[in-house]
Amino acid sequence: MSTSGQARPPKKDRREEAREHARLMRAEQVKRDKRRRLFLRGGIGIGLLAVVAVVALVIVNNVNAPAAQGPANMASDGILLGSDGTTVSAATTAAQSADAKPIATDQTALTNTANIVVYLDYLCPICGTFETTNGDQITKWVTAGNATVEFHPISILDRASSGTKYSTRAANAAACVADYDPNKFLAFNTAMFAGQPAENSSGLTDAELTSLVQGAGVTSTDVASCITDETYSGWVAASTQRALDGPIANADIPKVEGTPTVLVNGVKYTGSVSDAAAFEAFVTAQTTAAAGAGE
């Protein structure tokens, strides 16, 4: 008899219990190690393709924005890109009707990753600096499956394009690519900043935008007419107003006050846009914090 008055199990059963306990402890430690894994550039991909298309039925409140038909694959007012560790793909969402409100991306399905959200204006020179500094490493993170990136093209600099409304036309081009060739959006975004016109210039013409888009690998024949017709210019105005008015889903800020506005796991980046190491450190910190909160 044991001191507690309970019959002790046979020695063989005690050994089996000990082995099982040790197995469970090892399994739990593996889970803890996985959750604590630091976000490292070029690290192991974590298979986001299956989860990247998940969106929540969390409706973003937007009372004052004008109604306009939206593009496919931008139900959140942005396009979400992730990877299975090899191929970057866009989350697929239906086009929003003119009177519909955007649907926020469900980031709870995106665990152990950096969820990067960028609000940008394609004429914004600071946005260009951020892309030049961090675009390559964001692409590597996303391709490896260590991050998702969600781009929200908005238009706040039409006044700085000599009357051509380049910001609106560029954001419209982004919506066209998202609609007709979404998996090429990351290459398109890179090309837009590589060929970014100067602020206070007339910007690129529609023909130049079309050429740039095609040079980025977009093959859909519908994109050219979408650019020329400015099919989504009304949506650009509406989504821009929603960003400026707020609220911003999955964020620690109430609204967008300028571009670029960059969020990582919901936290706004306030460091230098021209310091890749600072941004990487911020991404690492937010990813580690998110993993710790999930324990």
Side-chain angles (χ1 to χ4, degrees), residues 14 37 115 140 148 168 174 189 218:
R14 293 201 303 273
R37 186 189 304 138
N115 303 311
K140 288 176 183 176
T148 62
T168 290
N189 186 75
V218 174

Side-chain angles (χ1 to χ4, degrees), residues 179-200:
D179 196 338
Y180 292 110
D181 209 345
N183 293 339
K184 298 293 176 56
F185 195 94
L186 193 56
F188 158 80
N189 186 75
T190 300
M192 286 292 284
F193 284 112
Q196 184 183 42
E199 196 174 17
N200 297 313

Side-chain angles (χ1 to χ4, degrees), residues 155-235:
S155 172
I156 59 174
L157 289 174
D158 274 343
R159 56 181 169 73
S161 57
S162 303
T164 71
K165 296 186 177 180
Y166 178 73
S167 291
T168 290
R169 291 188 297 108
N172 172 75
C176 295
V177 174
D179 196 338
Y180 292 110
D181 209 345
N183 293 339
K184 298 293 176 56
F185 195 94
L186 193 56
F188 158 80
N189 186 75
T190 300
M192 286 292 284
F193 284 112
Q196 184 183 42
E199 196 174 17
N200 297 313
S201 72
S202 58
L204 303 180
T205 65
D206 288 346
E208 288 170 331
L209 275 171
T210 300
S211 177
L212 184 150
V213 165
Q214 292 170 344
V218 174
T219 57
S220 170
T221 56
D222 294 309
V223 172
S225 59
C226 182
I227 290 173
T228 302
D229 296 342
E230 295 188 30
T231 303
Y232 294 114
S233 59
W235 172 83

Side-chain angles (χ1 to χ4, degrees), residues 271-293:
S272 170
V273 297
S274 59
D275 187 339
F279 182 64
E280 182 172 8
F282 179 76
V283 170
T284 301
Q286 298 312 315
T287 307
T288 303

Side-chain angles (χ1 to χ4, degrees), residues 36-82:
R36 290 194 182 99
R37 186 189 304 138
L38 292 179
F39 178 89
L40 296 174
R41 182 169 27 188
I44 299 172
I46 42 185
L48 292 175
L49 193 60
V51 299
V52 75
V54 181
V55 291
L57 296 178
V58 178
I59 304 302
V60 178
N61 181 25
N62 111 56
V63 177
N64 300 318
Q69 173 73 38
N73 310 312
M74 298 187 89
S76 68
D77 279 349
I79 182 168
L80 179 67
L81 305 169

